[in-house]
Amino acid sequence: MDKWGIDKTDTVALDTQDNALVLIDQTRLPGEIRRIRLTKVQEIREAICRLQVRGAPAIGVAAALGMYVVASRYETGDPKVFREKFLQDKETLNSARPTAVNLSWALTRMEGVLQKEPEKSVEDLLQALKHEALRIRDEDIEVCRRIGENGLTLLQPNDGILTHCNAGRLATVRFGTATAPIYLGQEKGYNFRVFCDETRPLLQGARLTAFELQEAGVDTTLICDNMSGHVMQQGWINAVLVGADRVAMNGDTANKIGTSVVAAVAARFGVPFYVCAPTSTIDPATAKGSDIRIEERGAEEVTELWYETRMAPEGVKVFNPAFDVTDHSLIAGIVTEHGIARPPYEISLKEILARGQADGQ
Ligand code: MRU
């Protein structure tokens, strides 16, 4: 625990003494582990846009805790004014990144608190918001632990695993989604060999996944994005585990750009491709992958970031989508906290969501 009473490894946290959102600044990893403390809605939005906090579940938790932090500074005792300010700030955060459904999911839960408590004073509303935000954080930890248990049933000791982007502890509060079975296996002596795609253009695999797995003592090998076919052809990979930013009801899954290429290569070599995601990433309002809005980011991420001098010709056209959609036909299973959904996903995802509702989520 640090001086704010926060577990030092948590990616996203609440400083309950000063009511501040505390984040590990992921843009500085792996060179520097620096925490930032945020209290204003615009700075929280900026942190999400700049990927100082990133990964679908972590964005959701940051938005929930962030909304409480921001609301705790409203200078009004009038519940009506409080609600108006809350809705305005909620929209500010909601517009930060469009693809990860966990952002709007968490913000909708926070807004639900205000709807449930129409007669309450500002003080009581704040207490209820704090309670909900901390619940969203705690659920994330528990959900990832359960994804780990379910995911581990798909793996064998000494397996080679390939992962793309960072669906690790840095993308959640703790444990991660795609990395949760890996961490659990590590504890049980499974001796996995994990290959991380570097994940152009922002290098979440090289900077974040390789960093956190190596720190945890996992056998970790970094490869460039265009090497997955080669390592699968060598027979080194027994399973692919990736995260998700939004799962449509037919199983089509949006995740970091390049994921769909890995899935196609895995299908070619008969390697099972699994998506690990909390049920909060399954979007009942999205029927199929083509309905998912894909975030596009700045050209400079492709042409100059990470290079001492710009490496692409000035004026060249650049296309930089941050995510792609993997077709459900390429996915062997979707590992959630409520079990593993298998094709046909139209049926199994509904069952998984119903299980969650029966569990009170
Ligand atoms: O742009 P990012 O770094 O937020 O993208 C992250 C991913 O695509 C992750 O794989 C996904 O959010 C799942 S995180 C558990």
Side-chain angles (χ1 to χ4, degrees), residues 51 54-57 59 97 164-168 171-172 177 204 243-245 255-256 322-323:
L51 273 57
R54 42 130 322 266
I59 296 173
R97 296 192 76 190
H164 188 75
C165 190
N166 174 264
T172 64
T177 57
Q204 289 93 332
D245 286 83
N255 192 51
K256 178 52 53 192
F323 302 94

Side-chain angles (χ1 to χ4, degrees), residues 37-219:
R37 298 162 57 74
L38 310 174
T39 56
K40 298 189 180 76
V41 71
Q42 282 304 341
E43 57 188 21
I44 296 170
R45 183 179 195 281
E46 184 67 11
I48 295 173
C49 290
R50 292 192 54 231
L51 273 57
Q52 286 175 295
V53 60
R54 42 130 322 266
I59 296 173
V61 176
L65 295 174
M67 272 316 304
Y68 162 68
V69 163
V70 169
S72 72
R73 285 170 171 74
Y74 294 157
E75 290 173 353
T76 180
D78 180 345
K80 188 166 171 279
V81 176
F82 182 92
R83 279 194 171 77
E84 282 165 9
K85 282 173 170 290
F86 183 95
L87 291 181
Q88 212 176 3
D89 288 340
K90 181 198 145 203
E91 278 323 304
T92 301
L93 292 189
N94 204 20
S95 62
R97 296 192 76 190
T99 305
V101 69
N102 301 63
L103 178 59
S104 57
W105 169 86
L107 289 168
T108 303
R109 267 185 65 169
M110 292 296 281
E111 185 186 344
V113 169
L114 300 191
Q115 282 166 356
K116 256 190 267 157
E117 315 279 6
E119 305 304 328
K120 291 230 164 165
S121 67
V122 164
E123 206 177 310
D124 288 345
L125 287 176
L126 264 177
Q127 275 316 308
L129 285 173
K130 180 178 181 182
H131 184 257
E132 185 69 352
L134 290 174
R135 229 173 79 161
I136 290 172
R137 179 206 61 185
D138 291 346
E139 281 172 17
D140 179 79
I141 297 169
E142 175 57 15
V143 157
C144 288
R145 201 185 55 72
R146 283 159 65 178
I147 289 174
E149 285 166 2
N150 292 334
L152 194 62
T153 64
L154 300 166
L155 305 169
Q156 301 297 323
N158 303 311
D159 269 357
I161 297 167
L162 187 133
T163 189
H164 188 75
C165 190
N166 174 264
R169 72 172 172 81
L170 289 162
T172 64
V173 181
R174 281 177 217 169
F175 308 130
T177 57
T179 56
I182 297 172
Y183 287 133
L184 192 59
Q186 175 79 359
E187 266 175 45
K188 293 178 187 277
Y190 271 48
N191 211 16
F192 294 134
R193 289 164 293 108
V194 181
F195 290 79
C196 311
D197 279 350
E198 64 175 347
T199 316
R200 283 277 293 155
L202 292 182
L203 308 183
Q204 289 93 332
R207 295 188 305 107
L208 308 176
T209 309
F211 164 72
E212 63 163 89
L213 291 180
Q214 200 180 46
E215 230 194 5
V218 176
D219 180 334

